[in-house]
Amino acid sequence: MMQFSKVLESSRVAVGIEANDKAQALKEAATLLCSGDDELDFGRVLGAIDERERLASTGIGGGVAIPHALLDGVKRTRMAVIRLARPVDFDARDGLPVDLVFMLAGSREGTSSHLRLLSKLARMLHNPEFRDAARATPNGQDLARLILDRT
């Protein structure tokens, strides 16, 4: 099973991110995901994420969303994580607003590994103790460590 350390760098984890709505939260997560990465184009990533969100919300419940997309020309999967300063409506299944956003962008050719990673991430995020710990971390470095320790 894919390890989070293969897709997540601690520099792509941030807390206290300001967003007024779902669109802005997605934009902030995509900005962090694409920052300093020549292979990921912000416009393409955000467009693919928006397209996926139109199919169905990636708000999985418990204040968590896992927006994700597969793109042509991307060699490996990457993840960015943001914790919002205030939860926003995300059209989540349980109706609760979202404050934890785990964004993934991967290769269209790596569909099976992408799905396994989504499954692993969803299992971790359905654990209320993990969510509480993620919300209690004081900064991005500690949140990254919390996630990477779950590998």
Side-chain angles (χ1 to χ4, degrees):
M1 178 154 297
M2 184 179 284
Q3 297 180 333
F4 293 133
S5 61
K6 300 220 185 282
V7 298
L8 180 66
E9 298 170 21
S10 59
S11 63
R12 289 197 169 84
V13 181
V15 302
I17 300 298
E18 295 289 339
N20 295 321
D21 56 23
K22 177 181 179 176
Q24 192 173 5
L26 292 173
K27 205 175 281 184
E28 294 295 335
T31 297
L32 186 60
L33 183 67
C34 297
S35 66
D37 192 320
D38 294 336
E39 190 178 63
L40 291 179
D41 175 74
F42 172 79
R44 282 185 63 224
V45 169
L46 188 58
I49 293 288
D50 285 342
E51 187 177 313
R52 170 59 186 86
E53 286 296 321
R54 281 193 292 278
L55 295 174
S57 174
T58 56
I60 64 169
V64 177
I66 311 175
H68 56 278
L70 295 173
L71 302 153
D72 291 321
V74 172
K75 291 182 178 74
R76 65 180 183 85
T77 299
R78 290 147 180 99
M79 179 166 61
V81 179
I82 62 171
R83 187 177 74 215
L84 300 173
R86 287 172 311 286
V88 298
D89 179 35
F90 220 87
D91 302 316
R93 295 177 197 156
D94 62 0
L96 294 175
V98 163
D99 64 340
L100 295 171
V101 179
F102 289 70
M103 182 176 281
L104 297 169
S107 169
R108 194 173 301 283
E109 290 139 23
T111 304
S112 62
S113 63
H114 184 81
L115 291 173
R116 285 192 304 273
L117 181 61
L118 279 172
S119 176
K120 179 179 180 177
L121 192 56
R123 280 193 306 277
M124 179 180 79
L125 294 171
H126 274 101
N127 179 329
E129 289 153 3
F130 175 83
R131 292 193 311 265
D132 289 346
R135 290 183 173 108
T137 58
N139 56 54
Q141 289 293 107
D142 288 347
L143 180 52
R145 193 172 307 113
L146 178 70
I147 297 162
L148 293 171
D149 285 349
R150 298 288 173 130
T151 299

